[in-house]
Amino acid sequence: MNRIFSGVQPTGNLHLGNYLGAIRNWVRLQRDFECIFCIVDMHAITVWQDPKELRAHTREVAAGMLAAGVDPQANIVFNQSQVPAHAELAWIFNCVARLGWLNRMTQFKEKAGKHRENASVGLYAYPNLMAADILAYKATHVPVGEDQKQHLELTRDVAQKFNNDFGVDFFPLVEPLIFGAATRVMSLRDGTKKMSKSDESDYSRINMTDDADTIALKVRKARTDPEPLPDTVEDLDKRPEASNLVGIYAALRDLDKVEALRQVAGRNFADFKKDLTDVAVSVLGPINDEMQRLLEDPGHVDAVLAEGARRARAIAEPIMRDVYDIVGFLQATER
Ligand code: AMP
Ligand code: TRP
């Protein structure tokens, strides 16, 4: 049986990269698969979060997912800390994964930067918690943006080592699902840097909460080069900012880059940016309206997450009982 799991951190507002790289794909998968979508608040605190903001961002991200079309009846939508299995299995994986594996993780290196000694232990062990998120449900497929590929390889390594060490065929080897025309959306200020919630400049990203004027302004200010748009993808990909903007345009229009270039080749940026703004506003506008409506009723959002957590626990608890048994933890019959 295929089961899909994916997660998003409540560290700030959702942005266009989260939408095109992940959430829009979730909406497409939910028709055909059993899906579990998680707001990973325990991952968020691997770097400092103000408690009030963490709570607000958790609701905002939940509202953003629902507004984008994730259906909380057909799927399970919840925040991670409401299901103890994530932390329980993460501890076991802390004892399965090797230091050498974690030392290779590029996201840790990027996030810890020069102050490695000062990074939290949680930031270092982050990939083990992510493996636990997925495997606490024995999920088989994980739709994410390209930046998460290495973490999913680690998840496979952890599953395999657990299975080998204990001589069982228990955890599945997960497959990443990375698809769409924008699996890696770049910053609007620098085409070589990933669009991210943590970038200091708000002009680097389009937030799902930005109104039409803000989107127009950010697209207008987006960095470009002086040449008109080329007609082959090969030429386009030599120009990081041009490639990023055309990629975003293509994804928003649901085209591949070749088809998108057929529409825009030869045009200058001033012209192209108007079309890009129009399509961004037409896709994000309705999502934004619905998100605002949902945020006026935080009680509803909280109830969705509580119900999701209840259903998530019902799947994870029997799996954790088996894990504890495999590891050799002595258990009372009723846990
Ligand atoms: P995060 O905001 O880091 O929790 O990411 C949540 C999801 O969005 C993950 O599946 C990421 O791979 C995806 N994602 C984040 N940033 C980008 C980006 N710039 N381009 C494409 N996907 C992204
Ligand atoms: N690490 C992911 C990110 O930063 C978020 C995440 C946590 C996740 N647990 C997950 C994604 C499990 C997919 C599956 O984007």
Side-chain angles (χ1 to χ4, degrees):
M1 189 192 55
N2 289 328
R3 179 178 281 156
I4 289 192
F5 184 98
S6 197
V8 58
Q9 297 191 68
T11 43
N13 267 317
L14 292 175
H15 54 68
L16 196 60
N18 297 134
Y19 179 64
L20 294 175
I23 294 172
R24 189 175 67 164
N25 292 346
W26 302 356
V27 174
R28 293 177 179 183
L29 289 162
Q30 69 181 355
R31 290 185 225 128
D32 304 318
F33 298 98
E34 180 188 11
C35 297
I36 304 174
F37 300 125
C38 184
I39 300 164
V40 291
D41 45 11
M42 289 159 62
H43 278 104
I45 64 161
T46 57
V47 296
W48 169 251
Q49 303 296 323
D50 176 81
K52 263 219 274 333
E53 281 179 17
L54 179 61
R55 212 167 284 129
H57 285 146
T58 301
R59 290 193 179 112
E60 272 167 28
V61 167
M65 285 164 56
L66 302 181
V70 171
D71 173 355
Q73 253 96 50
N75 307 289
I76 295 178
V77 178
F78 71 107
N79 59 311
Q80 190 183 27
S81 59
Q82 296 207 59
V83 180
H86 296 253
E88 293 170 351
L89 189 55
W91 180 256
I92 290 172
F93 288 169
N94 282 343
C95 304
V96 172
R98 307 287 94 183
L99 285 180
W101 302 358
L102 293 178
N103 285 339
R104 288 197 287 274
M105 295 293 112
T106 54
Q107 185 169 301
F108 175 76
K109 289 182 199 159
E110 276 161 24
K111 286 200 179 179
K114 290 187 211 88
H115 311 289
R116 219 183 130 99
E117 297 294 312
N118 222 359
S120 74
V121 174
L123 187 67
Y124 188 70
Y126 179 115
N128 293 342
L129 178 59
M130 178 160 163
D133 295 341
I134 299 164
L135 295 174
Y137 304 92
K138 292 193 176 181
T140 54
H141 293 80
V142 183
V144 282
E146 211 166 283
D147 59 331
Q148 295 304 309
K149 221 167 152 178
Q150 194 185 32
H151 285 157
L152 293 181
E153 276 158 22
L154 185 111
T155 301
R156 291 168 64 98
D157 290 344
V158 168
Q160 196 145 36
K161 186 165 189 317
F162 180 96
N163 289 347
N164 283 346
D165 286 355
F166 294 102
V168 289
D169 181 15
F170 187 73
F171 286 123
L173 299 186
V174 297
E175 295 290 341
L177 294 176
I178 301 173
F179 61 95
T183 54
R184 188 171 172 82
V185 178
M186 308 308 276
S187 156
L188 300 181
R189 307 301 282 169
D190 177 350
T192 63
K193 247 173 65 189
K194 183 177 81 164
M195 183 179 286
S196 128
K197 288 175 190 143
S198 54
D199 196 311
E200 273 157 34
S201 166
D202 201 49
Y203 284 103
S204 69
R205 62 186 160 255
I206 295 177
N207 299 309
M208 282 170 74
T209 45
D210 286 343
D211 61 21
D213 290 342
T214 311
I215 293 175
L217 181 66
K218 286 180 176 175
V219 172
R220 214 165 44 239
K221 280 182 169 276
R223 188 158 145 192
T224 50
D225 57 42
E227 305 292 318
L229 287 164
D231 34 31
T232 67
V233 174
E234 205 192 350
D235 287 341
L236 181 71
D237 285 347
K238 290 180 199 141
R239 297 159 56 185
E241 281 83 18
S243 169
N244 187 36
L245 294 183
V246 172
I248 292 173
Y249 174 87
L252 287 168
R253 279 252 144 103
D254 243 326
L255 306 169
D256 62 28
K257 268 191 179 168
V258 178
E259 290 165 328
L261 274 183
R262 225 173 273 145
Q263 294 183 4
V264 304
R267 294 172 57 187
N268 62 36
F269 276 105
D271 233 19
F272 167 67
K273 281 179 164 182
K274 286 192 195 118
D275 275 9
L276 180 58
T277 301
D278 287 348
V279 65
V281 169
S282 74
V283 172
L284 296 182
I287 298 179
N288 196 353
D289 292 348
E290 175 63 8
M291 194 170 156
Q292 297 313 327
R293 198 186 65 78
L294 286 163
L295 285 174
E296 277 163 25
D297 186 2
H300 170 70
V301 174
D302 292 7
V304 166
L305 296 177
E307 170 59 14
R310 193 189 58 74
R311 290 164 60 201
R313 281 193 296 268
I315 300 175
E317 277 170 10
I319 293 176
M320 280 315 293
R321 269 198 296 276
D322 289 347
V323 171
Y324 276 25
D325 188 46
I326 290 169
V327 170
F329 288 163
L330 184 65
Q331 302 290 295
T333 350
E334 286 303 312
R335 242 186 112 211

